[in-house]
Amino acid sequence: MKTVRDTLLGRRSIRRYEREEITPQQMSFIYDAIRNTPTSYNGQQFSVIDIDDQAIKESLYELTNQKQIKTCSRFLMFCVDYYKIAMGAEAKGLEMPDFPKTADGVIVGVVDAALAMMSAIVAAESVGLGTCPIGYARTAAPDEVSRMLELPKGVFVVCGLALGVPREHPDLKPKQPHDLMFFRNKYSTENIPRRVLAYDQVISEYNTTRAGHKTDNDWVSHMLGYYSEAMKYNILAALENQGLGVER
């Protein structure tokens, strides 16, 4: 098993996997790590759909065009989940507040699910498995995905996670430097444009020199392109269809 340091600092997204299956012992460890995730008020406002059915993975691939979904051993869907507590309230004859339909309610569920996914990533990576978070599992076709996975009201996909035995070892992507990511006691806007452009150049150089598929992508314009594309997603409507949302 890898050390915590090697697990966290050596993590990279893996998009190509061997046909080898994940062992039951490995999955049990990943499950336990997920279950022990810290959550708001210990509410555990999340659930995980573990997909090993190849037909379902193929269908998700057709919706997302993310090849690693159909080639990974297991694909985990991390979801906001207020259905379970709502059913508990009903069983006890209690009124369920409209918390899932508030901004904070959505944020709480998303944070819980995201923390759970990071627990899974660390556990999987520590035993030598490869991982790749796939946010497009949420945005590509949320209504179709909800129907495919038979999600009840109060449950909404946050992110997918491909798991498998890695077939590649890509270069480690450079992240923002310490002086751009960390601030002491208060946020500092000093020299942010200069520091952002310096990082932008680092990303450009990485993309043109890295092993494997090379691109001419920088960081700033590439991210702005992603934001522009994401503006087309109607996630609020998909949330409302699943019984969540943001009431003013």
Side-chain angles (χ1 to χ4, degrees):
M1 182 176 286
K2 297 180 184 176
T3 66
V4 172
R5 180 183 179 86
D6 289 343
T7 298
L8 292 175
L9 301 189
R11 190 216 64 81
R12 63 252 292 150
S13 291
I14 301 298
R15 294 176 172 83
R16 299 177 65 231
Y17 299 95
E18 302 288 358
R19 294 183 180 274
E20 184 180 345
E21 294 293 329
I22 297 174
T23 68
Q25 293 79 11
Q26 289 171 328
M27 282 309 304
S28 179
F29 172 51
I30 293 168
Y31 274 18
D32 286 343
I34 291 170
R35 288 180 62 245
N36 200 40
T37 296
T39 60
S40 182
Y41 291 96
N42 194 36
Q44 303 159 77
Q45 286 91 187
F46 75 92
S47 287
V48 184
I49 312 295
D50 180 1
I51 302 170
D52 62 358
D53 186 309
Q54 189 61 29
I56 297 177
K57 290 194 291 179
E58 294 276 354
S59 296
L60 289 170
Y61 162 71
E62 291 173 4
L63 291 174
T64 63
N65 199 35
Q66 299 292 303
K67 188 176 181 179
Q68 57 268 43
I69 294 178
K70 69 176 181 179
T71 60
C72 67
S73 176
R74 309 284 274 266
F75 189 64
L76 307 185
M77 284 287 214
F78 290 82
C79 306
V80 173
D81 189 347
Y82 284 105
Y83 175 76
K84 291 180 288 189
I85 189 66
M87 292 300 97
E90 181 178 306
K92 298 189 72 169
L94 302 174
E95 182 178 354
M96 174 71 181
D98 282 337
F99 183 62
K101 295 183 179 180
T102 67
D104 194 43
V106 172
I107 291 170
V108 163
V110 169
V111 169
D112 282 4
L115 288 171
M117 185 174 70
M118 194 62 210
S119 294
I121 290 172
V122 173
E125 296 272 348
S126 75
V127 294
L129 297 175
T131 66
C132 184
I134 303 177
Y136 208 47
R138 172 188 69 256
T139 57
D143 293 328
E144 289 87 341
V145 170
S146 293
R147 285 192 291 271
M148 184 186 306
L149 302 182
E150 300 182 5
L151 303 184
K153 296 292 185 181
V155 181
F156 186 79
V157 170
V158 172
C159 195
L161 181 67
L163 297 175
V165 177
R167 195 176 182 181
E168 62 178 359
H169 191 72
D171 293 341
L172 195 64
K173 289 183 179 179
K175 304 298 184 181
Q176 293 178 21
H178 282 224
D179 68 349
L180 187 56
M181 185 172 288
F182 304 103
F183 305 100
R184 182 70 61 84
N185 296 322
K186 59 184 179 179
Y187 196 100
S188 173
T189 60
E190 184 179 359
N191 293 325
I192 288 293
R194 177 183 59 78
R195 286 185 278 168
V196 167
L197 292 181
Y199 176 65
D200 185 76
Q201 182 61 34
V202 169
I203 290 295
S204 294
E205 292 175 359
Y206 164 80
N207 284 327
T208 57
T209 61
R210 66 183 180 181
H213 179 64
K214 296 175 175 58
T215 73
D216 59 359
N217 291 335
D218 64 355
W219 185 66
V220 174
S221 61
H222 184 66
M223 289 308 304
L224 296 183
Y226 164 71
Y227 296 158
S228 296
E229 180 66 23
M231 294 287 287
K232 302 174 186 177
Y233 305 148
N234 195 354
I235 298 300
L236 183 57
L239 278 167
E240 291 171 344
N241 290 340
Q242 286 303 115
L244 294 94
V246 180
E247 292 183 348
R248 296 185 183 275

